[in-house]
């Protein structure tokens, strides 16, 4: 275990559903991230939160809505997704201010949109 | 802007042979470099990192990597490959000290390592 926990591990949802992915880190880090990993594509950074404030939004469609209520928890709210949104969604955390600090990743949520 | 290139989509090596997974990077400041490994349907696991000091860094599971500033490379190596090393390997860079203000990691596209028994 890396200290970053993601739930659920697997999710199947229809295009009209609303669901949420949850991430929790127990490492005392002050930055959290959402990444999307699709087959045959590089790891895509979606959102960055630094001290609960969103500092990066890499042109992600509005059907993905992040929420960071505190520095330990991160959510990704999903609604009206498309089949091409099927992917492995990874959460990570790190300590901002320590440039040499590695990011720690959760196990990921395997999302399938039907 | 920072970027990472992993020129090989796949590397095949016989068990017991040395392995190398290549990585080159581009930054405007000083690089902090990282290697991660990913097993199927799992998250990324940290292997090792270069921050400063010795160009040869040692990490988990017998892996090491050599930082070469003139060639802007950070290749991952292991003297003797195991079948259990078969996985997806990612190189990542953080551009530190350039004043760009970016602190997140930029990842390469990954290299699939297959160790053949």
């Amino acid at each position: 275990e890396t200290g970053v926990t993601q739930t659920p591990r697997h999710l199947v949802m229809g295009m009209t559903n609303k669901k949420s992915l949850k991430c929790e880190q127990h490492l005392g880090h002050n930055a959290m991230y959402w990444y999307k990993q699709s087959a045959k594509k590089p790891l895509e950074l979606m959102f960055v939160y630094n001290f609960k404030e969103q500092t990066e939004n890499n042109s992600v469609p509005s059907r993905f809505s992040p929420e960071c209520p505190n520095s330990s928890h991160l959510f990704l709210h999903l609604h009206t997704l498309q089949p091409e949104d099927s992917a492995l969604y990874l959460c990570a955390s790190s300590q901002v201010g320590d440039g040499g600090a590695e990011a720690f990743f959760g196990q990921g949520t395997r999302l399938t949109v039907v | 802007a920072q970027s990472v290139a992993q020129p090989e989509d796949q590397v095949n090596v016989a068990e017991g042979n040395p392995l190398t997974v290549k990585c080159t990077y581009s930054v405007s400041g000083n690089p902090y470099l990282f290697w991660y490994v990913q097993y199927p349907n799992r998250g990324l696991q940290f292997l090792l990192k270069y921050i400063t000091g010795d160009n040869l860094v040692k990490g988990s599971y017998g892996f090491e990597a050599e930082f070469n500033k003139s060639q802007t490379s950070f290749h991952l190596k292991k003297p003797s490959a195991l079948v259990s090393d078969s996985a997806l390997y990612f190189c990542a860079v953080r551009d530190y000290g350039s004043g760009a203000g970016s602190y997140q990691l930029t990842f390469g596209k990954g290299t699939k390592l297959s160790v053949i028994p």
Side-chain angles (χ1 to χ4, degrees), chain A residues 9-113:
Chain A
R9 291 292 310 277
H10 301 272
L11 178 62
V12 179
M13 60 185 290
M15 289 190 285
T16 58
N17 291 159
K18 291 183 179 181
K19 296 287 184 183
S20 296
L21 310 185
K22 180 182 177 182
C23 177
E24 183 175 1
Q25 58 100 357
H26 313 277
L27 302 168
H29 290 162
N30 52 23
M32 296 187 74
Y33 314 81
W34 279 116
Y35 286 87
K36 177 183 178 182
Q37 187 178 26
S38 306
K40 301 182 181 180
K41 292 181 72 175
L43 208 59
E44 301 173 60
L45 178 64
M46 300 175 72
F47 301 104
V48 180
Y49 277 83
N50 180 5
F51 290 103
K52 303 184 297 178
E53 299 297 323
Q54 187 182 127
T55 57
E56 295 270 346
N57 177 339
N58 288 340
S59 303
V60 180
S62 59
R63 57 187 183 268
F64 294 91
S65 174
E67 178 189 2
C68 188
N70 55 61
S71 58
S72 298
H73 293 85
L74 185 64
F75 295 89
L76 188 62
H77 304 300
L78 316 171
H79 64 98
T80 60
L81 294 191
Q82 304 298 312
E84 60 265 28
D85 296 323
S86 299
L88 183 67
Y89 288 85
L90 294 166
C91 173
S93 70
S94 71
Q95 187 64 19
V96 174
D98 178 357
E102 60 270 28
F104 289 80
F105 284 79
Q107 302 278 46
T109 295
R110 172 66 63 184
L111 173 67
T112 304
V113 181

Side-chain angles (χ1 to χ4, degrees), chain A residues 9 33 35 37 42-43 45 48 50 55-56 88 90 96 98-103 105-107 110, chain B residues 32 34 36 38 41-46 49 51 88 90 94 96 102-109:
Chain A
R9 291 292 310 277
Y33 314 81
Y35 286 87
Q37 187 178 26
L43 208 59
L45 178 64
V48 180
N50 180 5
T55 57
E56 295 270 346
L88 183 67
L90 294 166
V96 174
D98 178 357
E102 60 270 28
F105 284 79
Q107 302 278 46
R110 172 66 63 184
Chain B
Y32 286 172
F34 305 80
Y36 286 82
Q38 185 181 32
N41 293 312
R42 304 293 290 273
L44 277 66
Q45 296 178 34
F46 170 74
K49 64 182 177 183
I51 304 302
L88 192 57
F90 291 92
R94 178 182 288 130
Y96 189 72
S102 176
Y103 51 83
Q104 68 261 29
L105 295 171
T106 296
F107 286 85
K109 60 180 174 62

Side-chain angles (χ1 to χ4, degrees), chain B residues 6-107:
Chain B
Q6 292 181 243
E8 303 153 316
D9 289 338
Q10 176 143 1
V11 170
N12 297 321
V13 63
E15 186 177 23
N17 282 4
L19 70 87
T20 299
V21 182
K22 296 179 180 177
C23 171
T24 59
Y25 65 90
S26 175
V27 296
S28 54
N30 297 312
Y32 286 172
L33 295 154
F34 305 80
W35 276 102
Y36 286 82
V37 60
Q38 185 181 32
Y39 297 98
N41 293 312
R42 304 293 290 273
L44 277 66
Q45 296 178 34
F46 170 74
L47 275 180
L48 51 79
K49 64 182 177 183
Y50 171 81
I51 304 302
T52 186
D54 289 341
N55 289 342
L56 185 66
V57 293
K58 295 185 182 297
S60 306
Y61 312 118
F63 284 94
E64 58 189 29
E66 186 169 11
F67 171 65
N68 187 316
K69 187 173 183 178
S70 63
Q71 297 185 7
T72 61
S73 67
F74 189 57
H75 301 330
L76 181 70
K77 300 181 180 184
K78 188 173 182 181
S80 179
L82 301 173
V83 172
S84 57
D85 293 330
S86 298
L88 192 57
Y89 290 81
F90 291 92
C91 182
V93 68
R94 178 182 288 130
D95 188 349
Y96 189 72
S98 68
S102 176
Y103 51 83
Q104 68 261 29
L105 295 171
T106 296
F107 286 85

